[in-house]
Amino acid sequence: MKNYVISTRITAALTCFSFVVTLIIHYGFHGDEAEFWCNVCLAVFGSGLLTFITSCVGYTTEKRRTLESFSYSTRSLLHTLNKYDLGWDLEKKIDFFLDYTDIDKSVWDAQLGAIHFMIDPGKKKFGYIYQKIYKPILDVNQKIAGHEAHFKWHKDGSGKNDVVMADFVAEIESLFMEKTTSKHTLEDGQEFETTAIQNRVVHATLEELNGKYYDIMYNKKQVESEDA
């Protein structure tokens, strides 16, 4: 996206400059030499305008492709995270985290780096994508990666400690899992509790991908700036 943005801005400036120079020469100078340079500027204007239009079309196509690719990669990571179950025993949770660290996330990182908007004052659009979609998953990834060695030592027996591992697992779970308990009272006065478990990061990120991010990707509507 960035290459198309640079190309579009340069050709836009060149097109406007050549057009202004053409007008100056046409109305301010006379003679064969003036006519020659006027034709030269017109040629530059025409080629610049054509390149500008091509760059705009290329940017639109590349923008959609880049944002779609980032969306697909994000959904793939969310699909994996959504398989996590708080009801698993400690060993199965550790196995899940070790398997998760083996997933190559470099493409996902590179796709974020490739996002560069033509019009993005204050980088609000990019900041939104980073804060609302990328960072919540990144925080989970980094926390899991930070305990990868501890989990491996636990599995091979060189650093086995169930109590410490349970604390590490709880640290990770607090970043993306949410468990809420609600009390209810029946008409006869009997009370009971219900427990709801939700993968907070998966739920919130999918809402963004299907909402504002989708609007940015396909220009469905003008995206409002983030609330303060």
Side-chain angles (χ1 to χ4, degrees):
M1 289 174 66
K2 188 173 184 178
N3 289 339
Y4 282 103
V5 171
I6 294 173
S7 176
T8 302
R9 289 174 178 173
I10 291 176
T11 53
L14 180 62
T15 300
C16 293
F17 177 76
S18 60
F19 180 70
V20 171
V21 173
T22 300
L23 292 178
I24 293 174
I25 295 176
H26 179 73
Y27 290 105
F29 300 89
H30 302 284
D32 293 338
E33 186 173 350
E35 184 177 353
F36 169 78
W37 286 111
C38 185
N39 290 332
V40 170
C41 290
L42 281 174
V44 173
F45 170 76
S47 60
L49 181 61
L50 179 61
T51 305
F52 172 75
I53 295 172
T54 303
S55 296
C56 286
V57 173
Y59 165 77
T60 301
T61 303
E62 183 68 11
K63 170 194 168 187
R64 176 174 294 188
R65 186 194 67 79
T66 301
L67 293 180
E68 284 179 344
S69 298
F70 180 72
S71 176
Y72 295 149
S73 296
T74 302
R75 291 175 187 274
S76 178
L77 290 176
L78 293 177
H79 177 72
T80 301
L81 283 175
N82 203 37
K83 296 178 182 179
Y84 190 84
D85 190 340
L86 285 178
W88 289 342
D89 60 33
L90 179 62
E91 296 301 320
K92 190 169 183 178
K93 290 180 177 180
I94 291 175
D95 289 338
F96 175 87
F97 291 137
L98 287 175
D99 289 340
Y100 184 79
T101 58
D102 289 336
I103 298 175
D104 184 10
K105 306 172 186 68
S106 61
V107 174
W108 180 64
D109 293 328
Q111 288 166 345
L112 176 76
I115 297 175
H116 191 92
F117 294 101
M118 180 82 71
I119 302 175
D120 189 16
K123 292 190 175 182
K124 289 183 178 180
K125 291 180 183 178
F126 182 84
Y128 156 76
I129 294 173
Y130 181 87
Q131 292 294 336
K132 295 295 186 178
I133 297 175
Y134 179 79
K135 192 174 186 303
I137 301 175
L138 177 65
D139 289 342
V140 176
N141 295 348
Q142 290 179 335
K143 180 64 71 173
I144 295 175
H147 291 306
E148 180 183 5
H150 302 124
F151 291 151
K152 287 182 176 179
W153 295 334
H154 174 81
K155 297 300 291 187
D156 66 20
S158 61
K160 189 174 181 61
N161 189 320
D162 289 347
V163 175
V164 174
M165 293 304 115
D167 289 339
F168 290 158
V169 168
E171 286 180 19
I172 299 171
E173 288 177 342
S174 66
L175 291 177
F176 71 104
M177 298 299 295
E178 184 175 58
K179 183 177 182 180
T180 56
T181 302
S182 302
K183 291 184 178 181
H184 306 275
T185 304
L186 299 177
E187 294 181 357
D188 59 4
Q190 182 179 357
E191 294 184 350
F192 68 97
E193 293 184 348
T194 58
T195 301
I197 298 176
Q198 177 180 261
N199 194 310
R200 184 174 66 251
V201 168
V202 171
H203 178 75
T205 306
L206 285 176
E207 278 194 342
E208 298 296 342
L209 289 175
N210 296 327
K212 184 173 180 178
Y213 184 87
Y214 183 89
D215 296 335
I216 293 174
M217 184 163 53
Y218 295 115
N219 292 324
K220 291 298 181 180
K221 64 182 180 181
Q222 184 176 0
V223 181
E224 297 179 357
S225 61
E226 286 292 293
D227 294 333

